Amino acid sequence: MEKVYFDHAATTYVRPEVLEAMLPYFAEDYGNPSSIYEIARSAKKTLETARDKAAAALGADPAEIFFTGSGTEADNWAIRGIAELYEKKGRHIISSAIEHHAVLHTCEYLEKRGFEVTYLPVGEDGIIRVADLEKAVRPDTTLITIMTANNEIGSIQPIEEIGALARSKGIVFHTDAVQAVGHIPINVKSQNIDMLSLSAHKLYGPKGVGALYVKKGIPLRSFIFGGGQERGRRAGTENIPGIVALGKAIELAVSEMEEESRRLSALRDKLIDGILSSVPHTFLNGSSVKRLPNNVNVSFEFIEGESLLLLLDMKGIFASSGSACTSGSLDPSHVLLAIGLPHEKAHGSLRITLGRSSTEGQVEYFLKELPPIVSRLRDMSPLFEEYLKISDPARVSG
Amino acid sequence: MNPRNVGEIEDPSGVGTVGNVKCGDIMKVYLKITGEGIVEDAKFKTFGCGAAVATSSMATEMIKGRSIDDALHITNKAVMDALDGLPPIKVHCSCLAEEALHAALWDYSQKNGLAIDGLKPPVNDIEELHEGAFA
Ligand SMILES: Cc1ncc(COP(=O)(O)O)c(C=O)c1O
């Protein structure tokens, strides 16, 4: 059976060029960059080359890039770092209702410590309104943290305007760009970004390595204490193979972005049109315009997402859902609730995220397999039965 | 996922619906009960995750052929055991399956003016299904 991986927002495979680039640093050039002999010097050099590449991808200076152990760590460091650094000036943070848990749970931690956080609402399109942001700003606001692009519904925020507003008010602007880097153009200078988190495993690098961009002049303190790595700001012997891979992956992603995003946008639109036209009672979640090139998120009324995933899995199709059963709690995705979906429609969501391995053939296969699966689940659904009775009272049934 | 007993029964002796759309699981069980009080047939419809479908399928399978007294002893634990266990986060699905059987039996007892020992009215009956589900 064909295997169709439609979950690239969860993680990507390590592409061969990246794997090849990282391999020598396990068993050959395995030196610790802090040492002074030859194999260590080569490790040190590689580390700085990777930093140059990450910086170039963002339009930043290499001295502004700090490697971390994940996107999550970068988010934690940025938010807690700024909150605590400017605590004397104020204890108010502005974020959004649709952030990743790496941001939300960090904000919640700070709230328990006496900080105040305003979570900006989003429209049906999954996008904040800059006017809301402007209204939320207070004299004691020290940080605005709003993601560049959402991991569930792919909505893209007006980063440049948010950054401009933050700058005009003297507030630090951090953005979680984990889903955006290598997928849509980013330039920290032209977009007025002060801090940015990214992660290698969303752009065909390995898991467990990320980076935080920190604009020069922001005296962010160390978050992990120990040795003097990363210019004394992030202790711990560097994950050289991972960092090399991040550098290679980000370089490739940015150089191929224009062509790849055009290709993926076409597949995405074919999927969206195909799903909406072949399955009744189905709608798109998030913006149809300001949307990541690889993201499709739809809700099928009357059915539940996890059972849909199981039936798709039986056809070799791997996707994800915002239903409660897949979130590991009793509530469906906070993102889908934030765009105004009632619970049962959030439970019936399906996320497809395309990537380098996605083909037209896979999209066609999916579009062929999907409608009978949805019909089967609807035939099984008491909600659908109820709907049919209401919409067609002539139909008699138990 | 290949559940048994999916569907409806025409003129059922009892129907029970439990769960709510908020938590994402709704089970509806239909029973056909003979004059002698034997469950002749059982069918279900479920909106929910794989475990909810599996427990509905198993519970309806287990109740078929049983007397009402016997049927009352189908507990969520028995359903879970028959499925070789469930992860902790899915245990509530088996509870819902037990409640759905009981709700259908309750409906049967109400329709027939019977008092069945040990059977209580369903607590988990759903309101949302009729109020907000299609808004
Ligand atoms: C938007 C967003 N932020 C942060 C993360 C966390 O990144 P990591 O998996 O590297 O910790 C992810 C990925 O899971 C994400 O999608």
Side-chain angles (χ1 to χ4, degrees), chain A residues 42-94:
Chain A
S42 110
K44 174 85 186 148
K45 201 161 147 249
T46 322
L47 175 63
E48 294 318 317
T49 308
R51 199 184 308 283
D52 293 346
K53 289 179 177 172
L58 303 175
D61 193 272
E64 297 173 314
I65 303 294
F66 299 88
F67 293 112
T68 63
S70 63
T72 300
E73 183 193 323
D75 284 340
N76 273 258
W77 183 19
I79 296 166
R80 254 182 89 175
I82 293 300
E84 287 166 3
L85 181 65
Y86 296 122
E87 194 162 7
K88 295 236 159 60
K89 181 180 160 215
R91 292 164 73 88
H92 181 238
I93 295 165
I94 300 172

Side-chain angles (χ1 to χ4, degrees), chain A residues 271-349:
Chain A
L271 266 171
I272 294 174
D273 294 345
I275 295 169
L276 296 184
S277 65
S278 66
V279 185
H281 309 295
T282 300
F283 54 89
L284 180 70
N285 293 315
S287 169
S288 54
V289 199
K290 298 217 173 333
R291 183 173 202 108
L292 286 174
N294 70 341
N295 176 289
V296 176
N297 190 312
V298 289
S299 279
F300 301 100
E301 292 191 61
F302 318 117
I303 67 173
E304 196 277 336
E306 196 211 54
S307 42
L308 176 61
L309 295 186
L310 291 174
L311 291 179
L312 287 171
D313 186 17
M314 286 167 69
K315 297 286 177 191
I317 298 164
F318 313 136
S320 78
S321 167
S323 86
C325 288
T326 54
S327 73
S329 78
L330 284 184
D331 279 322
S333 141
H334 65 283
V335 175
L336 297 177
L337 296 180
I339 60 170
L341 258 57
H343 274 73
E344 72 277 10
K345 292 183 187 179
H347 284 302
S349 74

